[in-house]
């Protein structure tokens, strides 16, 4: 310990704060300092053995300057160990959407569909046409926003609605003719704009015409049969059951990714759930809802629906990933847009139509 620890001396020429009792005043000067240098030098203070010289000693020296004790009586306390946080349980899996809103919207749409199916078939044809036009608007809007692709909406909307009506009234021939005329209308309509981007715009337009209205036309062709209402209902039930089975099993047991680069949420276990649920529902529908159908045909139908619905969902996920979006729209709370509900229905419609024609005939 040195003098600086104590601060400046109270008076120049003194060896401390007071004079020795047996001596008179001591004059200050070089002679005195040289003679008494050894006597006035303070002795070093050695810390107690076993005691660390740490910040406690610094505080002790400060307290000594203020008249307090030079050393602390108690030994320094050991630092308290920090409490180990209790392990937290793993977070529960949550659905990516508002489940209540999704169920409410789904029930509402189901009521509209069932009512229009079994009251007046023509009303359901109108429902299909409206869904097609809204789906085309969502798809072309996202293409324009994210990629600057301007697929002409007017000829697509008019040709798409006409395609659905032609399929219901004239069957496959009417659907193909309407599809060809819609593609031609897209090519001509785009000629009214500057030529820059013509190829990508018309290509996207023809793709949209095939992807949305042409595939939806197979639902109208199913409806045209004598038991068409039950065929369409079977198609809808199997697709919804497949999606529900994939969601329920994948959410509870899914660990192995099905296509992580396309849709990270889908699992192989979910696909097995979709197949199992759809095959069970298919057996029941073909046995009790379709005239002339049998349970084993329902098993095959359910398997095909599960595969096509999954591929359709992955196909739209591929489009959305390319565009960098999560949903095609926001029209349906808890679901996204119309296209987010049509993704598994559209490619499944021709599969169901074809298998029903093979199993029980076209009418």
């Amino acid at each position: 310990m040195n003098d600086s620890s104590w601060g400046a001396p109270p008076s120049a020429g003194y060896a401390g704060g007071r004079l020795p009792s047996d001596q008179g005043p001591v004059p200050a000067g070089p002679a005195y300092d040289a003679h008494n240098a050894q006597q006035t030098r303070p002795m070093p203070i050695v810390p107690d053995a076993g005691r660390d010289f740490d910040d406690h000693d610094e505080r002790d020296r400060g307290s000594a300057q203020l008249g307090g004790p030079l050393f602390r009586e108690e030994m320094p306390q050991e630092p308290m160990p920090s409490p180990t946080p209790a392990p937290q349980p793993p977070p529960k899996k949550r659905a990516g959407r508002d489940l209540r809103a999704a169920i409410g919207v789904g029930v509402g749409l189901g009521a509209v569909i069932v009512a229009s199916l079994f009251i007046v078939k023509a009303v359901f044809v109108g429902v299909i046409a409206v869904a097609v036009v809204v789906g085309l608007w969502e798809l072309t809007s996202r293409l324009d926003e994210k990629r600057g692709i301007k697929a002409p909406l007017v000829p697509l909307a008019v040709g798409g609605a006409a395609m659905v009506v032609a399929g219901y009234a004239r069957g496959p021939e009417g659907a193909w003719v309407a599809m060809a005329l819609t593609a031609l209308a897209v090519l001509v309509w785009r000629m009214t704009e500057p030529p820059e981007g013509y190829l990508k715009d018309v290509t996207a337009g023809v793709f949209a015409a095939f992807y949305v209205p042409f595939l939806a036309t197979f639902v109208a062709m199913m409806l045209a049969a004598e038991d068409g209402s039950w065929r369409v209902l079977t198609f809808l039930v199997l697709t919804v059951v497949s999606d529900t089975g994939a969601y329920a099993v994948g959410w509870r047991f899914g660990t192995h990714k099905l296509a992580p680069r396309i849709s990270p949420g889908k699992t192989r276990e979910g696909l097995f759930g979709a197949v199992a649920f759809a095959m069970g529902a298919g057996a029941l529908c073909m046995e009790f809802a379709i005239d002339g159908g049998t349970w084993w045909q329902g098993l095959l139908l359910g398997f095909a629906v599960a595969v096509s619905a999954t591929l359709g969902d992955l196909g739209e996920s591929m489009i959305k990933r390319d565009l960098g979006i999560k949903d095609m729209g926001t029209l349906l709370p808890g679901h996204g847009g119309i296209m987010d509900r049509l993704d598994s229905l559209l490619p499944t419609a021709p599969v169901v139509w074809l298998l029903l024609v093979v199993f029980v005939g076209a009418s």
Side-chain angles (χ1 to χ4, degrees), residues 300-301 304-305 350-360:
L300 297 177
L301 181 63
V305 166
V351 173
V352 175
W353 174 81
L354 178 62
L355 289 177
L356 288 178
V357 169
V358 172
F359 290 152
V360 296

mmCIF file of all heavy atoms in Angstrom, residues 300-301 304-305 350-360:
data_model
loop_
_atom_site.group_PDB
_atom_site.id
_atom_site.type_symbol
_atom_site.label_atom_id
_atom_site.label_comp_id
_atom_site.label_asym_id
_atom_site.label_seq_id
_atom_site.Cartn_x
_atom_site.Cartn_y
_atom_site.Cartn_z
ATOM 1 N N LEU A 300 -60.360 -48.152 -55.216
ATOM 2 C CA LEU A 300 -59.512 -47.636 -56.295
ATOM 3 C C LEU A 300 -59.746 -46.148 -56.527
ATOM 4 O O LEU A 300 -58.790 -45.379 -56.736
ATOM 5 C CB LEU A 300 -59.781 -48.416 -57.577
ATOM 6 C CG LEU A 300 -59.456 -49.921 -57.561
ATOM 7 C CD1 LEU A 300 -59.840 -50.561 -58.894
ATOM 8 C CD2 LEU A 300 -57.977 -50.144 -57.257
ATOM 9 N N LEU A 301 -61.009 -45.752 -56.487
ATOM 10 C CA LEU A 301 -61.323 -44.337 -56.684
ATOM 11 C C LEU A 301 -60.708 -43.473 -55.579
ATOM 12 O O LEU A 301 -60.144 -42.408 -55.849
ATOM 13 C CB LEU A 301 -62.841 -44.150 -56.729
ATOM 14 C CG LEU A 301 -63.350 -42.723 -56.956
ATOM 15 C CD1 LEU A 301 -62.903 -42.222 -58.331
ATOM 16 C CD2 LEU A 301 -64.863 -42.663 -56.830
ATOM 17 N N ALA A 304 -56.928 -43.100 -56.088
ATOM 18 C CA ALA A 304 -56.621 -42.169 -57.175
ATOM 19 C C ALA A 304 -56.880 -40.723 -56.750
ATOM 20 O O ALA A 304 -56.104 -39.818 -57.093
ATOM 21 C CB ALA A 304 -57.461 -42.523 -58.407
ATOM 22 N N VAL A 305 -57.941 -40.490 -55.994
ATOM 23 C CA VAL A 305 -58.244 -39.135 -55.531
ATOM 24 C C VAL A 305 -57.150 -38.627 -54.593
ATOM 25 O O VAL A 305 -56.710 -37.471 -54.689
ATOM 26 C CB VAL A 305 -59.622 -39.099 -54.842
ATOM 27 C CG1 VAL A 305 -59.806 -37.800 -54.071
ATOM 28 C CG2 VAL A 305 -60.733 -39.247 -55.873
ATOM 29 N N PRO A 350 -60.908 -34.397 -63.515
ATOM 30 C CA PRO A 350 -60.856 -35.330 -64.653
ATOM 31 C C PRO A 350 -60.590 -36.771 -64.244
ATOM 32 O O PRO A 350 -61.064 -37.707 -64.905
ATOM 33 C CB PRO A 350 -59.716 -34.780 -65.519
ATOM 34 C CG PRO A 350 -58.906 -33.933 -64.611
ATOM 35 C CD PRO A 350 -59.850 -33.364 -63.615
ATOM 36 N N VAL A 351 -59.853 -36.985 -63.139
ATOM 37 C CA VAL A 351 -59.588 -38.348 -62.666
ATOM 38 C C VAL A 351 -60.892 -39.014 -62.228
ATOM 39 O O VAL A 351 -61.189 -40.159 -62.604
ATOM 40 C CB VAL A 351 -58.548 -38.324 -61.525
ATOM 41 C CG1 VAL A 351 -58.386 -39.715 -60.918
ATOM 42 C CG2 VAL A 351 -57.211 -37.794 -62.025
ATOM 43 N N VAL A 352 -61.685 -38.315 -61.418
ATOM 44 C CA VAL A 352 -62.945 -38.886 -60.938
ATOM 45 C C VAL A 352 -63.919 -39.082 -62.101
ATOM 46 O O VAL A 352 -64.605 -40.115 -62.191
ATOM 47 C CB VAL A 352 -63.552 -37.983 -59.849
ATOM 48 C CG1 VAL A 352 -64.934 -38.494 -59.427
ATOM 49 C CG2 VAL A 352 -62.623 -37.935 -58.630
ATOM 50 N N TRP A 353 -63.994 -38.084 -62.994
ATOM 51 C CA TRP A 353 -64.906 -38.219 -64.139
ATOM 52 C C TRP A 353 -64.561 -39.455 -64.963
ATOM 53 O O TRP A 353 -65.448 -40.248 -65.327
ATOM 54 C CB TRP A 353 -64.806 -36.967 -65.009
ATOM 55 C CG TRP A 353 -65.584 -37.067 -66.290
ATOM 56 C CD1 TRP A 353 -66.927 -36.859 -66.460
ATOM 57 C CD2 TRP A 353 -65.064 -37.424 -67.581
ATOM 58 N NE1 TRP A 353 -67.291 -37.063 -67.774
ATOM 59 C CE2 TRP A 353 -66.151 -37.414 -68.483
ATOM 60 C CE3 TRP A 353 -63.802 -37.761 -68.059
ATOM 61 C CZ2 TRP A 353 -66.012 -37.708 -69.837
ATOM 62 C CZ3 TRP A 353 -63.653 -38.053 -69.402
ATOM 63 C CH2 TRP A 353 -64.750 -38.025 -70.276
ATOM 64 N N LEU A 354 -63.288 -39.662 -65.263
ATOM 65 C CA LEU A 354 -62.884 -40.788 -66.081
ATOM 66 C C LEU A 354 -63.166 -42.121 -65.386
ATOM 67 O O LEU A 354 -63.707 -43.062 -66.010
ATOM 68 C CB LEU A 354 -61.398 -40.668 -66.424
ATOM 69 C CG LEU A 354 -60.798 -41.807 -67.244
ATOM 70 C CD1 LEU A 354 -61.491 -41.906 -68.604
ATOM 71 C CD2 LEU A 354 -59.295 -41.612 -67.418
ATOM 72 N N LEU A 355 -62.833 -42.257 -64.099
ATOM 73 C CA LEU A 355 -63.041 -43.520 -63.399
ATOM 74 C C LEU A 355 -64.528 -43.835 -63.247
ATOM 75 O O LEU A 355 -64.941 -45.007 -63.355
ATOM 76 C CB LEU A 355 -62.361 -43.478 -62.030
ATOM 77 C CG LEU A 355 -60.826 -43.525 -62.052
ATOM 78 C CD1 LEU A 355 -60.254 -43.416 -60.645
ATOM 79 C CD2 LEU A 355 -60.333 -44.802 -62.731
ATOM 80 N N LEU A 356 -65.343 -42.824 -63.035
ATOM 81 C CA LEU A 356 -66.784 -43.075 -62.939
ATOM 82 C C LEU A 356 -67.352 -43.517 -64.289
ATOM 83 O O LEU A 356 -68.253 -44.380 -64.343
ATOM 84 C CB LEU A 356 -67.502 -41.831 -62.430
ATOM 85 C CG LEU A 356 -67.289 -41.486 -60.949
ATOM 86 C CD1 LEU A 356 -68.012 -40.196 -60.595
ATOM 87 C CD2 LEU A 356 -67.762 -42.635 -60.049
ATOM 88 N N VAL A 357 -66.840 -42.917 -65.370
ATOM 89 C CA VAL A 357 -67.285 -43.360 -66.698
ATOM 90 C C VAL A 357 -66.878 -44.821 -66.925
ATOM 91 O O VAL A 357 -67.662 -45.636 -67.467
ATOM 92 C CB VAL A 357 -66.702 -42.448 -67.792
ATOM 93 C CG1 VAL A 357 -66.915 -43.043 -69.173
ATOM 94 C CG2 VAL A 357 -67.322 -41.065 -67.708
ATOM 95 N N VAL A 358 -65.683 -45.211 -66.502
ATOM 96 C CA VAL A 358 -65.230 -46.583 -66.666
ATOM 97 C C VAL A 358 -66.018 -47.540 -65.780
ATOM 98 O O VAL A 358 -66.414 -48.637 -66.227
ATOM 99 C CB VAL A 358 -63.716 -46.677 -66.350
ATOM 100 C CG1 VAL A 358 -63.265 -48.124 -66.328
ATOM 101 C CG2 VAL A 358 -62.911 -45.873 -67.382
ATOM 102 N N PHE A 359 -66.298 -47.156 -64.553
ATOM 103 C CA PHE A 359 -66.964 -48.052 -63.609
ATOM 104 C C PHE A 359 -68.473 -48.179 -63.872
ATOM 105 O O PHE A 359 -69.024 -49.288 -63.874
ATOM 106 C CB PHE A 359 -66.738 -47.565 -62.181
ATOM 107 C CG PHE A 359 -65.314 -47.721 -61.691
ATOM 108 C CD1 PHE A 359 -64.794 -46.873 -60.727
ATOM 109 C CD2 PHE A 359 -64.489 -48.703 -62.226
ATOM 110 C CE1 PHE A 359 -63.489 -47.024 -60.273
ATOM 111 C CE2 PHE A 359 -63.173 -48.864 -61.782
ATOM 112 C CZ PHE A 359 -62.686 -48.005 -60.806
ATOM 113 N N VAL A 360 -69.154 -47.054 -64.074
ATOM 114 C CA VAL A 360 -70.637 -47.108 -64.138
ATOM 115 C C VAL A 360 -71.186 -46.460 -65.409
ATOM 116 O O VAL A 360 -72.421 -46.407 -65.570
ATOM 117 C CB VAL A 360 -71.240 -46.429 -62.893
ATOM 118 C CG1 VAL A 360 -70.856 -47.180 -61.637
ATOM 119 C CG2 VAL A 360 -70.820 -44.952 -62.793
#
